[in-house]
Amino acid sequence: MKDYEVVIGLEVHAQLRTATKMFCTCKADYGDLPNRHTCPVCLGMPGTLPVVNRQAVVLALRAARALDCKVNPHSCFDRKNYFYPDLPKGYQITQFRKPICEHGHLTIALANGDDKRVGITRIHMEEDAGKDLHLEGLPESFVDFNRCGVPLIEIVSEPDLRSADEAVAYLKELRNILRFLDVCDGNMDEGSFRCDANVSVMPRGSATYGTRAEVKNVNSFRFVAKAIEYEVKRQIDLLEAGGKVVQETRLFDSREGVTRSMRGKEEAHDYRYFPEPDLLDLTDIDVLQAEAHQDFPLLPAQLRARFRELGLPPYDAEVLSADKDIARWFLDLVTQVKNPKAASNWVMTEVLGYLNREKKTLGEFPVPQAELALLINAADQGRVSVTRAKEFFGRMLAEGLAASKLLDEGGAQVDDQDALLTVCRAVASEFPDELGRYLGGKEGLVAFFVGQVMKRTQGKANPRVLPTLMKQALEEKRA
Ligand code: ADP
Ligand code: MG
Ligand code: ZN
């Protein structure tokens, strides 16, 4: 392994979230009963004409902006010819000569904390094929054309990735971005987001890349990592044994964790690409671009940066930026709390814990944000212990009680020694001069600190235990 360098480039197919198909008005809803959403256009009947779906172009342009691509003012469609039962026209309409955009990049965070910039070669628009069904026990095969003609973008990366981990980081980031933008639902099980991994190895330090094998349509992050790792080992073993890697298309068998040769790698000229004669080129792109840039959200990387500015650790930044709604909600919450890290702990454990447990969305979260903020602040400032606050949180969820009521009721903190000690510690740190004099022998100053704690707790601290706790807090400072 250590004598070789791994080179990976990814091609991702992402299904665009449009209501209708790429070139006809059929619903782009392929989960339905087979062949419910078909028409002469997407079934490739002679004499029919395609019309470009405007919204698909707008969504592609959103992806273009997120990946910093250069948009071509003038792009065009081409026919890619091949025969397959799920492709009734005998060709796929795609963009070959001039894609909608090129030359972008995506920045990923590596495990060691560094950022890495991965080049995006191009994004082009195309239509999906149908789906062959080979049902167990039946002698014949079936074809479902619901997916035929559904709009896709293909995002092609430069061969910039150097390990399975980097490839997975890239895919996760890309999927997140497309979801944030409402460009693609990112559902890998249903194939709305799928990946071809191109893998090669070369002697470390070599100036030229090795021959690549392409592993087709891998549909989970775990499988992508496994497929790449398998390929790397296979290719190195092959080279070490004096063999040669051949350029070919392979399939990943997820049950056995191996890749197998599917066919020799076709070249562009095999497809006999030619300009699609039934479609005009895409012009006036700036009008669509203006539309694409509306409601452009903060992207995961921007959110991570914002969270880091708030002083949150990388882990928190990662968790909170994984979902657009959570991120936005958290940024609102943070404006109402004194300590962002305290808020982050509460959201990651309590709020997300509750949502996961109850299988609810943030929209269904029953506690108003201001109420939660009140509770977080109270716990953070030691007006109530964290344990007690979590108890209150449970009652707010279950009984719909208000935080202010729970906090006020009978001076929640009177007997709560943990909470009192927290306040004592805070107060001890807050008055360094008095603390110094106390530590220097002026023991009478305990009364001063006790007074401060009383003020802070609005007189609700239990006076029987307070002096002892205050002394304890002051003595801790001696260490
Ligand atoms: P094709 O459609 O023939 O697979 P594309 O140009 O669409 O060709 O995609 C090629 C992909 O393969 C790109 O993601 C590119 O980064 C990657 N790639 C090219 N050369 C290598 C290589 N030697 N090793 C690994 N990946 C490569
Ligand atoms: Mg390819
Ligand atoms: Zn149709």
Side-chain angles (χ1 to χ4, degrees):
M1 257 311 303
K2 64 180 192 322
D3 299 332
Y4 289 88
E5 209 168 330
V6 176
V7 174
I8 302 162
L10 300 176
E11 297 160 81
V12 167
H13 285 93
Q15 201 167 85
L16 298 174
R17 290 184 64 178
T18 53
T20 56
K21 293 187 181 180
M22 185 71 213
F23 300 113
C24 65
T25 56
C26 290
K27 258 173 81 178
D29 187 0
Y30 60 84
D32 255 330
L33 284 173
N35 297 311
R36 287 301 160 98
H37 306 302
T38 61
C39 74
V41 175
C42 56
L43 289 178
M45 298 295 170
T48 59
L49 291 173
V51 177
V52 174
N53 182 332
R54 188 175 199 276
Q55 187 60 16
V57 181
V58 169
L59 294 181
L61 289 169
R62 277 169 88 74
R65 167 160 166 188
L67 300 176
D68 257 320
C69 291
K70 209 170 123 293
V71 171
N72 284 318
H74 197 107
S75 67
C76 53
F77 291 96
D78 300 280
R79 285 190 184 180
K80 179 180 184 180
N81 300 282
Y82 64 98
F83 170 80
Y84 209 72
D86 62 13
L87 188 75
K89 290 202 296 286
Y91 60 86
Q92 177 193 31
I93 305 180
T94 179
Q95 295 192 300
F96 180 65
R97 289 162 300 154
K98 211 151 208 22
I100 184 140
C101 66
E102 304 170 85
H103 312 304
H105 58 88
L106 172 62
T107 301
I108 57 173
L110 300 182
N112 67 6
D114 289 351
D115 279 346
K116 170 166 181 157
R117 191 187 249 235
V118 181
I120 302 289
T121 316
R122 54 194 261 143
I123 302 179
H124 59 257
M125 290 186 290
E126 59 190 26
E127 53 179 343
D128 211 343
K131 191 176 168 196
D132 294 340
L133 301 169
H134 312 288
L135 303 175
E136 211 166 315
L138 293 182
E140 61 279 78
S141 287
F142 300 84
V143 195
D144 174 8
F145 290 113
N146 284 346
R147 205 178 62 183
C148 193
V150 163
L152 300 175
I153 46 175
E154 177 172 340
I155 302 154
V156 182
S157 88
E158 291 289 308
D160 287 346
L161 299 157
R162 290 293 173 269
S163 67
D165 286 347
E166 287 187 18
V168 170
Y170 169 89
L171 290 172
K172 285 188 171 166
E173 186 73 7
L174 180 59
R175 186 173 81 135
N176 240 1
I177 289 172
L178 298 181
R179 281 182 156 173
F180 268 55
L181 294 169
D182 294 318
V183 162
C184 170
D185 69 19
N187 194 326
M188 297 180 84
D189 295 337
E190 289 170 11
S192 318
F193 182 95
R194 51 192 198 260
C195 154
D196 301 343
N198 297 272
V199 184
S200 67
V201 298
M202 60 181 179
R204 195 163 286 285
S206 160
T208 45
Y209 292 155
T211 306
R212 70 180 152 126
E214 179 182 29
V215 188
K216 274 273 175 213
N217 282 337
V218 199
N219 68 349
S220 84
F221 294 133
R222 202 162 54 87
F223 291 164
V224 170
K226 280 192 157 177
I228 290 172
E229 276 153 16
Y230 180 86
E231 258 316 291
V232 168
K233 179 158 191 321
R234 181 186 72 86
Q235 294 182 15
I236 292 177
D237 287 349
L238 198 60
L239 295 176
E240 288 288 302
K244 263 193 173 156
V245 176
V246 291
Q247 186 165 327
E248 63 182 350
T249 300
R250 300 178 70 88
L251 278 184
F252 180 63
D253 177 336
S254 56
R255 272 217 318 248
E256 296 191 19
V258 302
T259 67
R260 289 203 190 87
S261 181
M262 175 183 163
R263 57 173 188 246
K265 173 71 189 158
E266 63 291 334
E267 302 280 347
H269 61 250
D270 294 327
Y271 287 115
R272 294 296 185 268
Y273 281 99
F274 65 84
E276 167 59 62
D278 291 339
L279 285 172
L280 295 173
D281 292 352
L282 280 180
T283 52
D284 287 334
I285 205 75
D286 31 341
V287 177
L288 296 175
Q289 245 180 317
E291 206 171 304
H293 293 178
Q294 281 167 23
D295 296 320
F296 212 81
L298 284 178
L299 295 175
Q302 293 167 308
L303 287 168
R304 282 197 296 270
R306 177 85 191 86
F307 293 146
R308 298 301 299 275
E309 274 166 33
L310 287 169
L312 301 181
Y315 174 80
D316 298 40
E318 190 67 43
V319 172
L320 295 170
S321 61
D323 180 287
K324 166 171 67 167
D325 296 331
I326 301 282
R328 196 179 298 159
W329 188 83
F330 180 77
L331 284 174
D332 279 349
L333 177 70
V334 155
T335 62
Q336 304 166 59
V337 301
K338 302 241 160 50
N339 176 357
K341 177 58 183 151
S344 158
N345 290 344
W346 272 84
V347 171
M348 290 195 305
T349 57
E350 301 308 313
V351 179
L352 294 183
Y354 169 82
L355 296 177
N356 286 339
R357 231 175 16 251
E358 304 290 321
K359 307 218 174 347
K360 286 193 172 158
T361 64
L362 194 56
E364 299 166 302
F365 184 60
V367 175
Q369 202 171 50
E371 288 289 317
L372 181 62
L374 209 62
L375 191 63
I376 293 173
N377 285 332
D380 184 49
Q381 293 166 334
R383 280 188 283 127
V384 60
S385 73
V386 172
T387 323
R388 195 72 174 255
K390 290 193 173 168
E391 233 173 84
F392 287 172
F393 181 67
R395 297 185 62 193
M396 287 159 72
L397 286 172
E399 303 165 44
L401 293 174
S404 48
K405 184 157 177 291
L406 287 164
L407 289 167
D408 284 349
E409 232 167 47
Q413 68 278 46
V414 171
D415 295 316
D416 193 331
Q417 302 213 2
D418 276 359
L420 258 188
L421 189 57
T422 311
V423 185
C424 291
R425 286 180 179 137
V427 167
S429 313
E430 230 167 82
F431 297 94
D433 289 349
E434 285 79 359
L435 176 63
R437 280 160 50 209
Y438 169 87
L439 295 177
K442 284 233 170 242
E443 306 220 337
L445 275 170
V446 175
F448 163 80
F449 286 101
V450 164
Q452 292 300 325
V453 174
M454 276 299 183
K455 211 155 124 191
R456 176 75 68 85
T457 58
Q458 287 149 359
K460 284 178 188 153
N462 183 340
R464 273 190 308 120
V465 295
L466 178 53
T468 320
L469 292 175
M470 192 62 239
K471 259 192 204 144
Q472 183 187 333
L474 291 167
E475 289 303 318
E476 283 172 8
K477 300 285 176 189
R478 233 182 257 288

